[in-house]
């Protein structure tokens, strides 16, 4: 029996799938960086959208973030995971067909995103914008990937699961949980749906997802890659395997709690905010433990860092990880958040993480992988060094400009004079002060893009120099003996041998605890939301206008959440209450104020002001950076879809009655005529009653009105 | 702030449970990681990325 189990088996690794993911990483990196540069230029000068709706910032920004996170980052982690998993487990992936389905399915999802987001087809939740058919496809592709991964673990030839595999397990199960829960939607049509959550619940679920997408898509898988590729490149084992165990468990347990730090000083219950802040600060320890473990892996090899580009990228990537994970908890402290939130400081923070940590770890990995996958030498180490220094300089310029812009604007927003009045009451003053820094940011981004193009040239030449028709290497290894303790030493190790199931269950438990506690406000929403207030649901036309607001990505530059901070209440009015957004699907609290908060903008200006503002913002706000929206003056309102929207909202619990549902279209038309008549009376010309601008104005004029009428206590 | 937060917190027991669970898991991981008996295991497993299988030479295999 023992003899049979020890029988040698012959196999090869599926490196074709790794090559595919590496090439896809390169292609989508170019797209993500280019789109990011265009978006950065648009913030410096709005005319870079060329008045094209599909190229406008509000539609382009989700494309940029999706391309950077899921296309560039996603393909990079899949390339590294497929390569390292097979070698660490000494087996081929369980199913080539499932690997190919994963690859082509993921590329199809990315292409679908690229074809829908620029056309305003979006759920309107950051990093989860893709509409329900694509979200469903993500779930399917992810499950296939997970099944293939776990089947591969089941047929492994190495008993022990190296720490990198633990991070991959945490990634696979947690991303599945996050995405499924956050994208539960009720469709209105093929390309339109509403989330089942509303207002404060939606905010909490969204940032539980959003924060942990960073944790479990941009952190844990990259840490797994770091634990595999850094020792490979340094030719030294990880500094402390013990520390990696502590690192793993502390990180997965703590990270999941930290989501509410995105909602500090909002209408979220204060205890949830405090929990988010405390657990964010606790994250310092495991994050820095991981970084130190990575850097100390280079003990005795530091002299090689100056010469070898792969090590250079890894060291810089880890350093950026350290910076980002120092800055993140700092920003999660309420008093710091009150200054930094909604400003460009956050933009500096996330780009330090993405360009520095994710980008540089990926580039180091690709420089290491490509010569081995194509069995050739890197075309030019000098070019790789040029890539490093150009990219590094680009990141530094980017971050310094955005730190400066963020802190400047944050301080200007809160500045009051000796009489207690705002020193900069016009929001545009604070924008114009930092606008030059937007050019500096674009220059930093351009440098990063140029550095990537140098890499693309280097990698292309490397692959072109590879020999043709290289056969896959063939290996021999014995099958893993079931429940054996051979080669493993003492008894307790056998507990560790059951790792696939034990680890998966424990990891799920670790993330589930924080999840359950954070979701308490969702379950006990009535304790925080005054449902007895006279907040009314949106009318059909306002609801349609709200969807246009979401379509154009207005929430990416305007918040709808006035924090209980003196300077904010002086500028915008009384602070926002949870019940004010209780019918908002999705919530529109926002995360950035390139423009002012809009929670109480209703009634602040006449209809004609909004009309002119949307036609050309500079007509009413001198120096405004906001793009013009000429197409909403041309495009017609789809009145026929409004009853369907009302029906879905009613199904989700919004208190529309049967008559409102039956008369939804007629009521919306009548309301549109009233707004159009108001505009005409104020001097606007043209046939306006069926144009989208009318619906958008109806929505904007509704914002904050229930509060002003005394409906909120 | 903490007092105000806790006074509006409906499920103190849940967070106490969560904290205790975390401390338990953390202490267990700490104990497990630093057991002297595991030293030989770590010496082997930490080198896993460095121990690639040697590919067979042409003529040695038939797949």
């Amino acid at each position: 029996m023992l003899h049979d189990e020890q029988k040698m088996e012959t196999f090869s690794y599926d490196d074709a799938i790794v090559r595919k993911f590496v090439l896809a990483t390169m292609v989508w990196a170019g797209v993500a960086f280019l789109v990011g540069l265009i978006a950065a230029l648009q913030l410096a000068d709005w005319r870079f959208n060329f008045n094209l709706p599909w190229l406008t910032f509000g539609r382009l920004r989700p494309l940029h973030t999706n391309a950077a996170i899921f296309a560039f980052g996603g393909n990079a982690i899949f390339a590294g995971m497929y390569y390292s998993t097979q070698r660490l487990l000494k087996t081929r992936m369980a199913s080539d067909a499932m690997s190919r389905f994963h690859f082509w399915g993921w590329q199809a999802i990315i292409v679908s995103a690229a074809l829908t987001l620029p056309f305003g087809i979006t759920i309107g939740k950051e990093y989860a914008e893709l509409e329900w058919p694509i979200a469903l496809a993500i779930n399917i592709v992810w499950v296939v990937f997970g099944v293939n991964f776990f089947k591969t673990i089941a047929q492994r030839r190495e008993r022990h699961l190296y720490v990198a595999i633990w991070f991959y397990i945490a990634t696979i199960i947690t991303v599945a949980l996050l995405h499924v829960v956050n994208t539960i939607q009720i469709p209105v049509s093929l390309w339109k749906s509403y989330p089942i959550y509303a207002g404060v619940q939606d905010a909490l679920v969204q940032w539980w997802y959003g924060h942990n997408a960073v944790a479990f898509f941009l952190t844990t898988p990259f840490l797994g890659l770091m634990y595999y590729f850094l020792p490979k490149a340094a030719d030294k084992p990880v500094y402390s395997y013990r520390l990696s165990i502590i690192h793993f468990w502390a990180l997965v347990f703590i990270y999941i709690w930290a989501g509410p730090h995105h909602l500090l000083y909002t209408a979220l219950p204060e205890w949830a905010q405090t929990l988010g802040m405390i657990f964010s600060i606790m994250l310092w320890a495991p994050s820095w433990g991981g970084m130190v473990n990575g850097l100390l892996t280079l003990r005795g090899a530091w002299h090689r860092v100056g010469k070898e580009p792969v090590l250079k990228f890894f060291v810089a990537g880890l350093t950026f990880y350290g910076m980002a994970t120092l800055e993140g908890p700092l920003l999660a402290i309420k008093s710091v958040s009150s200054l930094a939130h909604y400003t460009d400081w956050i933009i500096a923070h996330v780009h330090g993480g993405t360009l520095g940590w994710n980008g540089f770890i990926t580039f180091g990995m690709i420089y290491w992988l490509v010569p081995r996958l194509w069995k050739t030498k890197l075309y030019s180490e000098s070019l790789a060094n040029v890539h490093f220094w150009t990219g590094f300089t680009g990141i530094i310029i980017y971050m310094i400009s955005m730190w400066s812009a963020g802190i400047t604007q944050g301080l200007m927003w809160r500045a009051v004079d000796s009489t207690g009045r705002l020193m900069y009451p016009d929001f545009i003053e604070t924008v114009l002060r930092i606008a030059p820094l937007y050019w500096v940011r674009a220059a930093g981004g351009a440098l990063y893009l140029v550095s990537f193009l140098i890499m693309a040239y280097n990698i292309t030449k490397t692959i072109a120099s590879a020999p043709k028709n290289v056969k896959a290497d063939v290996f021999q290894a014995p099958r893993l003996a079931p429940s054996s303790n051979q080669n493993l030493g003492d008894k307790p190790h056998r507990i560790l041998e059951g790792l696939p199931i034990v680890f998966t269950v424990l990891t799920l438990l670790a993330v589930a605890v924080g999840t359950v506690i954070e979701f308490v406000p969702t379950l006990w929403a009535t304790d925080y939301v005054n449902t007895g207030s006279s907040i009314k649901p949106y009318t059909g036309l306002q609801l349609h206008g709200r969807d246009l607001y979401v379509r154009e990505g207005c929430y990416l530059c305007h918040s709808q959440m006035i924090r209980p901070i003196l300077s904010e209440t002086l500028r915008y009015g009384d602070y926002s209450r949870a019940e004010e957004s209780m019918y908002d699907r999705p919530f529109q609290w926002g995360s950035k104020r390139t423009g002012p908060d809009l929670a109480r903008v209703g009634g602040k200006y006449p209809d004609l002001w909004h009309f002119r503002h949307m036609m050309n913002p500079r007509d009413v706000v001198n120096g405004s950076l906001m793009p013009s929206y000429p197409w909403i003056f041309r495009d017609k309102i789809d009145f026929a879809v409004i009853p369907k929207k009302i029906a879905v909202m009613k199904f989700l619990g919004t208190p529309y009655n049967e008559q409102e549902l039956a008369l939804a279209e007629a009521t919306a038309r009548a309301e549109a005529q009233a707004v159009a008549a108001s505009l005409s009376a104020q001097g606007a010309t043209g046939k306006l009653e069926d144009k989208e601008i009318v619906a958008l104005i109806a929505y904007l004029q509704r914002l904050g009105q229930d509060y002003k009428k005394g409906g909120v206590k | 702030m903490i007092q105000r937060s806790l006074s509006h917190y409906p499920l103190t027991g849940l967070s106490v449970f969560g904290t205790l669970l975390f401390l338990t898991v953390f202490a267990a991981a700490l104990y497990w990681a630093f057991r002297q008996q595991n030293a030989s295991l770590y010496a082997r497993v930490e080198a896993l990325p460095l121990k690639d299988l040697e590919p067979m030479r042409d003529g040695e295999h038939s797949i």
Side-chain angles (χ1 to χ4, degrees):
Chain A
M1 183 67 187
L2 186 65
H3 178 75
D4 288 345
E5 288 162 354
Q6 290 285 294
K7 188 179 168 186
M8 298 298 275
E9 294 178 328
T10 306
F11 63 97
S12 62
Y13 298 130
D14 181 7
D15 283 342
I17 194 69
V18 185
R19 285 191 286 268
K20 284 190 179 78
F21 275 117
V22 165
L23 293 176
T25 303
M26 295 293 293
V27 170
W28 293 120
V31 173
F33 304 154
L34 178 64
V35 174
L37 177 60
I38 296 170
L41 287 169
Q42 289 176 354
L43 286 168
D45 189 328
W46 64 276
R47 284 167 292 199
F48 277 100
N49 72 356
F50 305 105
N51 266 345
L52 297 169
W54 55 270
L55 200 61
T56 296
F57 180 81
R59 300 191 190 186
L60 212 57
R61 196 266 198 177
L63 183 63
H64 165 58
T65 51
N66 277 272
I69 299 170
F70 302 110
F72 166 58
N75 280 299
I77 62 175
F78 298 142
M81 286 168 83
Y82 275 100
Y83 184 89
S84 58
T85 298
Q86 295 182 87
R87 281 155 179 84
L88 287 169
L89 302 180
K90 294 184 171 47
T91 185
R92 190 182 179 89
M93 293 304 296
S95 165
D96 288 2
M98 281 200 271
S99 299
R100 284 195 299 272
F101 180 85
H102 175 208
F103 176 80
W104 289 112
W106 197 255
Q107 308 318 310
I109 287 163
I110 296 166
V111 171
S112 304
L115 292 176
T116 53
L117 293 172
F119 294 97
I121 297 170
T122 172
I123 289 174
K125 293 167 70 157
E126 288 182 77
Y127 322 124
E129 290 92 348
L130 303 177
E131 262 298 353
W132 69 271
I134 309 175
L136 198 60
I138 291 173
N139 294 338
I140 293 168
V141 170
W142 196 264
V143 166
V144 170
F145 166 48
V147 169
N148 197 16
F149 181 85
F150 283 106
K151 281 182 74 176
T152 306
I153 289 179
Q155 65 181 40
R156 69 193 188 278
R157 294 187 178 86
E158 164 58 51
R159 171 74 61 195
H160 190 82
L161 298 183
Y162 182 68
V163 62
I165 302 290
W166 308 354
F167 280 101
Y168 301 160
I169 291 174
T171 300
I172 291 171
I173 61 165
T174 313
V175 168
L177 177 72
L178 293 167
H179 193 261
V180 168
V181 171
N182 190 45
T183 56
I184 303 176
Q185 313 275 325
I186 303 297
V188 174
S189 64
L190 182 61
W191 295 118
K192 181 66 197 169
S193 62
Y194 292 124
I196 63 165
Y197 318 103
V200 65
Q201 297 99 325
D202 195 37
L204 195 64
V205 174
Q206 160 59 20
W207 283 115
W208 166 79
Y209 163 86
H211 174 76
N212 289 301
V214 173
F216 290 90
F217 205 91
L218 295 177
T219 304
T220 55
F222 281 93
L223 286 169
L225 300 184
M226 182 273 285
Y227 274 118
Y228 179 80
F229 286 101
L230 183 61
K232 294 290 282 187
D235 198 24
K236 288 179 176 299
V238 64
Y239 170 67
S240 168
Y241 202 75
R242 289 184 168 90
L243 185 54
S244 70
I245 296 173
I246 307 299
H247 177 205
F248 174 80
W249 285 111
L251 197 80
V252 297
F253 194 98
I254 295 174
Y255 233 131
I256 204 86
W257 296 67
H261 72 216
H262 291 260
L263 299 166
L264 298 179
Y265 288 113
T266 66
L268 188 73
E270 193 169 326
W271 63 264
Q273 297 182 34
T274 305
L275 272 183
M277 180 181 81
I278 290 170
F279 275 86
S280 300
I281 295 167
M282 286 167 68
L283 266 176
W284 258 325
S287 301
W288 272 55
M291 178 196 67
V292 167
N293 208 8
L295 290 177
L296 290 181
T297 297
L298 288 162
R299 66 204 180 284
W302 282 100
H303 61 285
R304 290 168 49 201
V305 174
K307 300 172 193 162
E308 298 179 26
V310 171
L311 289 180
K312 210 175 283 183
F313 275 107
F314 282 155
V315 167
L318 271 168
T319 309
F320 276 114
Y321 175 65
M323 285 171 63
T325 53
L326 173 72
E327 191 181 32
L330 177 76
L331 290 166
I333 296 170
K334 286 187 83 171
S335 49
V336 181
S337 173
S338 70
L339 171 69
H341 195 47
Y342 298 124
T343 76
D344 285 307
W345 187 347
I346 308 301
I347 311 303
H349 170 61
V350 299
H351 282 82
T354 313
L355 301 179
W357 159 239
N358 303 120
F360 274 20
I361 292 289
T362 299
F363 299 149
M365 182 185 79
I366 288 177
Y367 279 123
W368 189 89
L369 267 178
V370 166
R372 286 163 178 80
L373 288 170
W374 274 270
K375 297 186 186 303
T376 184
K377 283 188 172 179
L378 184 65
Y379 172 69
S380 168
E381 286 214 350
S382 301
L383 278 180
N385 279 317
V386 173
H387 170 204
F388 174 83
W389 286 112
T390 317
F392 183 80
T393 309
I395 300 174
I396 297 300
I397 291 173
Y398 191 113
M399 290 180 70
I400 290 175
S401 64
M402 289 297 95
W403 275 330
S404 307
I407 293 169
T408 301
Q409 196 172 30
L411 290 173
M412 289 180 80
W413 286 346
R414 61 167 52 186
V416 291
D417 62 20
S418 57
T419 64
R421 285 178 294 195
L422 290 172
M423 289 180 69
Y424 307 99
D426 290 334
F427 190 91
I428 190 66
E429 288 180 274
T430 70
V431 177
L432 296 177
R433 185 67 63 89
I434 63 170
L437 289 167
Y438 286 169
W439 286 108
V440 180
R441 181 253 299 271
L447 263 185
Y448 196 83
L449 176 62
V450 167
S451 78
F452 168 74
L453 293 175
I454 293 169
M455 180 201 195
Y457 175 76
N458 202 1
I459 294 296
T460 305
K461 295 292 280 185
T462 303
I463 294 172
S465 70
K468 309 296 177 203
N469 302 320
V470 175
K471 288 182 183 173
D473 288 334
V474 177
F475 305 92
Q476 270 197 332
R479 181 190 302 177
L480 194 65
S483 64
S484 156
N485 61 356
Q486 300 138 16
N487 306 321
L488 286 167
D490 61 4
K491 190 177 174 183
H493 298 158
R494 269 181 284 172
I495 299 170
L496 224 58
E497 289 165 24
L499 288 180
I501 297 169
V502 173
F503 256 86
T504 305
V505 170
L506 283 177
T507 306
L508 193 59
L509 186 64
V511 296
V513 173
T515 298
V516 168
I517 292 173
E518 285 203 351
F519 276 21
V520 166
T522 306
L523 304 173
W524 275 265
T526 50
D527 289 353
Y528 309 104
V529 180
N530 178 13
T531 51
S533 70
S534 60
I535 300 289
K536 297 283 191 299
Y538 297 106
T539 66
L541 189 70
Q542 290 164 355
L543 184 62
H544 192 71
R546 187 173 193 280
D547 290 337
L548 298 175
Y549 182 94
V550 170
R551 183 188 77 183
E552 299 303 336
C554 304
Y555 62 92
L556 297 167
C557 290
H558 295 279
S559 59
Q560 289 185 26
M561 174 51 60
I562 303 168
R563 297 177 294 178
I565 296 172
L566 177 66
S567 58
E568 298 221 352
T569 53
L570 284 172
R571 187 180 298 278
Y572 302 116
D574 200 4
Y575 67 90
S576 298
R577 269 66 165 189
E579 48 268 36
E580 288 183 85
S581 50
M582 68 180 174
Y583 300 127
D584 283 4
R585 300 173 196 272
F587 79 110
Q588 291 292 286
W589 295 359
S591 63
K592 175 74 171 69
R593 286 179 184 154
T594 306
D597 187 276
L598 300 179
R600 307 242 185 275
V601 79
K604 185 176 180 181
Y605 306 105
D607 290 349
L608 187 64
W609 187 94
H610 288 292
F611 184 87
R612 296 179 64 201
H613 187 235
M614 298 307 295
M615 180 66 88
N616 183 3
R618 284 141 296 278
D619 283 350
V620 288
V621 181
N622 196 22
S624 173
L625 301 181
M626 185 171 138
S628 303
Y629 291 84
W631 55 92
I632 63 172
F633 294 81
R634 294 192 301 262
D635 295 344
K636 292 183 177 179
I637 298 169
D638 180 6
F639 284 104
V641 78
I642 290 175
K644 294 177 189 169
K645 291 180 175 181
I646 298 273
V648 170
M649 285 292 188
K650 187 172 187 299
F651 172 78
L652 288 168
T654 308
Y656 292 112
N657 59 40
E658 289 300 329
Q659 190 183 20
E660 286 170 318
L661 178 59
L663 299 174
E665 185 173 343
T667 308
R669 285 185 186 278
E671 194 181 353
Q673 283 176 350
V675 176
S678 157
L679 285 168
S680 298
Q682 292 168 46
T685 57
K687 183 176 180 294
L688 298 172
E689 62 269 20
D690 59 350
K691 301 297 188 297
E692 288 184 339
I693 180 64
V694 166
L696 186 61
I697 290 174
Y699 169 64
L700 291 171
Q701 293 290 36
R702 172 66 189 277
L703 292 175
Q705 290 291 32
D706 290 322
Y707 166 82
K708 290 172 186 170
K709 289 172 185 167
V712 177
K713 305 295 180 195
Chain B
M1 183 186 71
I2 294 172
Q3 188 183 17
R4 269 195 298 148
S5 295
L6 290 176
S7 64
H8 291 95
Y9 183 43
L11 292 169
T12 313
L14 202 55
S15 69
V16 169
F17 167 75
T19 308
L20 288 177
L21 186 68
F22 167 69
L23 291 174
T24 307
V25 171
F26 188 78
L30 211 59
Y31 168 73
W32 180 256
F34 284 91
R35 290 175 79 236
Q36 276 306 312
Q37 297 97 308
N38 285 346
S40 60
L41 173 73
Y42 296 146
R44 192 180 76 82
V45 297
E46 70 184 12
L48 278 176
L50 307 178
K51 289 185 177 173
D52 280 339
L53 294 170
E54 283 296 317
M56 299 171 72
R57 284 172 295 185
D58 282 348
E60 286 185 345
H61 55 83
S62 58
I63 65 168

